Amino acid sequence: MSKEDNKENGAQSVSRRDFLRKAGTYSAASLSGAAMLLSNPKPAQATTNVEWAEHFQKNYRLMTEEEKQEALDRLEKRYSEEFGKEVTVDGSPAMDGVLFGYALNIQKCIGCRRCAKACVAENNQSRGDEQQIEWIRVLRLEKGQFSADDRDNAGYPGDYGIQVGGNAYKPAGVVLEGQHYYEAEQVPEKDAFYMPMQCMQCEKPPCVKVCPVQTTYRDPDGIVVIDYNWCIGCRMCIGACPYWARRFNWGEPSLPAEEMNPVTHYLGNRPRMKGVAEKCTFCVQRTRKGRWTACVEVCPVGARKLGNLLDPESDVRKVLETKKVFRLRADLNTYPKFFYFMD
Amino acid sequence: MISYRLFGSAIGLCLLAAASTAPVFGEATQQGKECFESRDGRSQVVQREIAPGTPNVKCSPTTSGVLWWGDPFDGTIPMGDMAVEADYTHEEAVVKPREPQIDKNKLLTICAVACHNGEYVPVPENKNPRPLKMHKDIVPDSMELKHGKGAIWCLDCHHPDNRTKLVDNFNNEVSFNQPQNLCGKCHGQVLRRWREGIHGKRIGMWNKGGKKRWWVCTECHNPHDIQQGDRTSGFAQLHPEPAPNLPKTMANADHERVKHGPGH
């Protein structure tokens, strides 16, 4: 065999990915050109050092184990440089025999919003005045009254009263719609109760159904996750979610390096980029390692419970067995795994 | 900004008002800053580094409440056996000792030797309520103790001649670290729910058999003013974290406060 032949065989054995990677590494011109084309014209945090390979990676779900590991290593390296600390990007898959469920004691919640802020600290959401994202919103609702008068048919012709506690002309029960932006001096307030809402991790998630690129999907442990790299920012999922649980990065996320949480998961709290949807993942970086979510740990009244729905001994199952439980918008057949309960 | 945490202790140690200056979110690691876990003034924790770059807690810059635990088991001790049989023994249950928190100014120690040593303040002959001359910072009007609706008084919970301990119905000493052994005497159902993990709070590992820090009763509840004011729960009122930013096109949130009356 001649020297020439050898060379040719060698060239053929290079895979397409290797070729692309080498092209990216060796050719400064092509790298900078690609970066100019592909990244934001305004270079910022999460997109400055994006590698060529990151743009061309597959949907996370379709990657082989090897490709996943490459993607994780790549991100670890990039984030560590960007934030000036050792960042780990975990790729733990769902645990066997675990289906996460959440229970929230609506009677105990005092509306202090610590869960929402703890979530931001844990999950690296964008913060500051320009671009603020919170995955949990706490609604303040006014306590209503049910009286015998409200239950009658006053205002209706004949016996057609169908509403319990009021009618079309006379609202009762909850007389105000929820307030997101309440600014009480002290909570809990006398006439209010509070209802925190976040991703319900539905069994039949409408957001997954509508995603045109299938970048969001439901893992076997019941957590609906997003591969941010594959997200095209069409916001179909945001429109489809009946719980207002998804958020969109309209601007470049602002995440100060000193506040960045370096323990991240690929599908969870790794720094996001502009133009992608994001949502609560039950702190996938924690729960898949056995830890409770940040909101469960921080709730000062212990209103929040997380557990394995498949384990009859778990606290969530005990709540379901012994308490009065309801789910939000059960009529939509999304089957949320987020339960509200009362003592 | 608001300075709302001005309080003094019995021996005149005044803690500084924690006035939040910059409302920038999460000034993560301020060494030596004091914040509270559940109740302001009664479950304080001092920020420090437990590992390079990892604080023991992260505090909210606006309310000084703890938002994040670096190590949920930092500073904890084993919970020990529970008086009533429970299926928690297979778990690694730990609690944060309450005694150092209550005794941070050596109050309990001083109580036990200075006044309640059996000489200065004689042990009362009966448990009938009488006006207190001391401890009005804890119980402003002892004839109207905000706990038990008049049915109980100090010595039903505090040991008559060992003030470093609590006492249960059978005159057994109860450590301040294990208040559930006392509280459960009346609040049995709550104790049961607490044991099952559906009342109260735990942090650490969610899975069965995982290590957990259990939160004891007095970390969240103030036993001296359970019934008070406009409160809707057994939990003290506190300052909420700030509201999320309004959307850029919105000047205020008045639309939320409009009553949707008839015709809506």
Side-chain angles (χ1 to χ4, degrees):
Chain A
M1 214 181 259
S2 72
K3 245 184 169 183
E4 202 65 23
D5 283 341
N6 254 338
K7 208 176 171 185
E8 208 153 293
N9 284 339
Q12 274 165 359
S13 70
V14 173
S15 75
R16 184 171 170 273
R17 197 175 61 244
D18 283 346
F19 172 77
L20 278 175
R21 193 193 294 131
K22 274 178 190 148
T25 320
Y26 295 137
S27 156
S30 76
L31 180 68
S32 62
M36 284 295 282
L37 278 172
L38 293 165
S39 72
N40 201 293
K42 191 182 99 185
Q45 239 167 25
T47 38
T48 35
N49 308 320
V50 177
E51 271 188 54
W52 173 268
E54 200 175 314
H55 285 297
F56 285 90
Q57 74 187 27
K58 274 194 264 183
N59 186 332
Y60 188 72
R61 236 191 323 183
L62 303 177
M63 289 185 198
T64 62
E65 287 307 311
E66 185 193 310
E67 285 169 330
K68 279 183 185 171
Q69 198 50 51
E70 274 176 24
L72 299 178
D73 293 344
R74 201 158 53 221
L75 286 175
E76 273 182 4
K77 188 164 158 278
R78 173 157 79 81
Y79 292 146
S80 300
E81 277 170 19
E82 273 174 23
F83 294 96
K85 53 175 130 183
E86 202 176 314
V87 179
T88 56
V89 183
D90 181 32
S92 313
M95 299 156 99
D96 281 338
V98 174
L99 184 68
F100 286 113
Y102 208 107
L104 196 150
N105 191 337
I106 196 174
Q107 214 171 350
K108 280 220 185 93
C109 176
I110 59 168
C112 66
R113 288 203 192 99
R114 255 201 252 178
C115 49
K117 306 295 172 188
C119 178
V120 172
E122 167 71 24
N123 288 302
N124 290 327
Q125 282 101 317
S126 177
R127 56 207 77 179
D129 291 335
E130 272 304 299
Q131 164 78 357
Q132 189 198 47
I133 290 181
E134 286 180 6
W135 291 351
I136 303 176
R137 68 170 168 161
V138 184
L139 275 183
R140 175 193 187 276
L141 300 165
E142 195 153 292
K143 279 184 184 164
Q145 285 183 343
F146 290 95
S147 70
D149 293 342
D150 294 330
R151 230 176 288 125
D152 66 16
N153 293 312
Y156 283 98
D159 297 320
Y160 295 106
I162 44 166
Q163 232 173 320
V164 175
N167 53 49
Y169 309 103
K170 191 180 176 193
V174 175
V175 293
L176 282 186
E177 290 179 358
Q179 298 180 16
H180 307 152
Y181 303 105
Y182 65 91
E183 289 189 48
E185 188 60 31
Q186 296 260 297
V187 287
E189 297 155 277
K190 191 183 178 185
D191 300 321
F193 66 97
Y194 305 90
M195 183 166 219
M197 286 171 73
Q198 63 201 69
C199 176
M200 305 273 153
Q201 316 290 359
C202 307
E203 281 298 306
K204 292 185 175 181
C207 51
V208 167
K209 207 172 177 181
V210 299
C211 179
V213 291
Q214 297 183 25
T215 190
T216 182
Y217 58 97
R218 198 178 148 269
D219 258 354
D221 56 2
I223 296 178
V224 177
V225 291
I226 306 173
D227 177 4
Y228 307 115
N229 276 61
W230 204 253
C231 176
I232 57 170
C234 68
R235 312 199 304 282
M236 296 275 280
C237 54
I238 294 174
C241 176
Y243 305 104
W244 205 63
R246 284 178 172 249
R247 304 286 181 273
F248 190 68
N249 277 287
W250 287 100
E252 202 59 53
S254 80
L255 173 62
E258 68 275 11
E259 289 176 27
M260 189 253 177
N261 176 10
V263 182
T264 71
H265 193 283
Y266 184 91
L267 299 167
N269 64 338
R270 70 184 169 105
R272 271 80 62 185
M273 48 292 239
K274 179 181 173 176
V276 297
E278 59 180 74
K279 62 180 271 294
C280 158
T281 59
F282 281 176
C283 286
V284 70
Q285 69 282 358
R286 283 168 160 247
T287 45
R288 286 190 182 170
K289 303 272 181 210
R291 278 286 296 277
W292 261 306
T293 64
C295 51
V296 167
E297 288 202 345
V298 84
C299 179
V301 296
R304 289 166 167 273
K305 305 285 165 203
L306 173 99
N308 182 5
L309 286 171
L310 304 182
D311 174 12
E313 297 293 310
S314 69
D315 42 10
V316 171
R317 281 289 289 273
K318 281 178 185 156
V319 166
L320 296 184
E321 276 156 29
T322 57
K323 302 286 183 183
K324 285 174 272 181
V325 177
F326 69 94
R327 298 196 271 194
L328 275 191
R329 308 216 62 181
D331 53 319
L332 295 176
N333 285 353
T334 52
Y335 301 101
K337 282 194 292 303
F338 195 98
F339 303 89
Y340 294 91
F341 69 101
M342 287 159 277
D343 283 322
Chain B
M1 298 293 285
I2 350 149
S3 83
Y4 52 84
R5 292 177 49 227
L6 197 62
F7 54 88
S9 74
I11 55 167
L13 230 171
C14 257
L15 290 177
L16 287 175
S20 46
T21 43
V24 187
F25 182 72
E27 348 165 0
T29 43
Q30 279 192 357
Q31 296 284 313
K33 191 189 167 195
E34 197 181 59
C35 40
F36 64 96
E37 292 190 322
S38 266
R39 291 198 287 133
D40 197 2
R42 291 293 179 272
S43 61
Q44 306 302 107
V45 57
V46 177
Q47 263 195 352
R48 60 191 173 81
E49 242 179 24
I50 49 169
T54 311
N56 58 341
V57 288
K58 283 183 189 172
C59 303
S60 160
T62 42
T63 63
S64 296
V66 170
L67 289 185
W68 190 86
W69 278 267
D71 173 10
F73 313 117
D74 183 37
T76 54
I77 57 168
M79 184 161 74
D81 285 335
M82 213 180 288
V84 194
E85 40 118 6
D87 65 343
Y88 77 98
T89 35
H90 57 274
E91 294 174 339
E92 286 190 73
V94 294
V95 291
K96 203 161 210 180
R98 294 289 292 154
E99 270 168 11
Q101 193 62 246
I102 297 164
D103 212 14
K104 59 188 164 191
N105 303 325
K106 297 288 164 217
L107 266 179
L108 287 180
T109 321
I110 292 169
C111 295
V113 296
C115 299
H116 297 284
N117 61 352
E119 288 178 21
Y120 282 99
V121 182
V123 175
E125 283 171 13
N126 57 40
K127 286 180 174 179
N128 292 341
R130 59 189 163 81
L132 291 179
K133 293 202 176 73
M134 295 289 289
H135 307 309
K136 288 187 175 175
D137 53 331
I138 301 169
V139 183
D141 180 3
S142 62
M143 300 306 281
E144 265 196 71
L145 177 64
K146 304 288 186 188
H147 191 162
K149 299 192 174 98
I152 61 165
W153 202 56
C154 312
L155 297 184
D156 286 310
C157 300
H158 291 274
H159 198 279
D161 44 41
N162 184 3
R163 291 300 150 94
T164 58
K165 296 287 176 196
L166 300 166
V167 66
D168 72 6
N169 296 350
F170 307 110
N171 277 339
N172 299 320
E173 286 187 358
V174 175
S175 163
F176 277 96
N177 295 339
Q178 310 277 335
Q180 71 275 9
N181 291 343
L182 168 60
C183 305
K185 295 281 175 182
C186 293
H187 306 282
Q189 280 297 342
V190 181
L191 178 68
R192 174 178 298 202
R193 297 287 170 241
W194 179 77
R195 243 168 31 212
E196 289 172 352
I198 61 180
H199 178 101
K201 171 174 172 173
R202 296 178 197 178
I203 66 175
M205 318 293 281
W206 58 263
N207 49 359
K208 199 176 171 180
K211 193 176 180 185
K212 295 174 177 64
R213 172 183 164 195
W214 293 43
W215 291 59
V216 298
C217 317
T218 52
E219 281 179 89
C220 305
H221 302 286
N222 182 353
H224 298 118
D225 66 349
I226 293 294
Q227 322 138 4
Q228 199 182 55
D230 291 342
R231 186 176 311 164
T232 54
S233 62
F235 196 79
Q237 283 193 313
L238 48 77
H239 294 262
E241 296 290 328
N245 290 347
L246 286 167
K248 285 210 177 69
T249 49
M250 205 185 282
N252 55 50
D254 285 347
H255 67 285
E256 287 189 336
R257 288 187 278 275
V258 175
K259 262 199 198 273
H260 299 288
H264 172 54

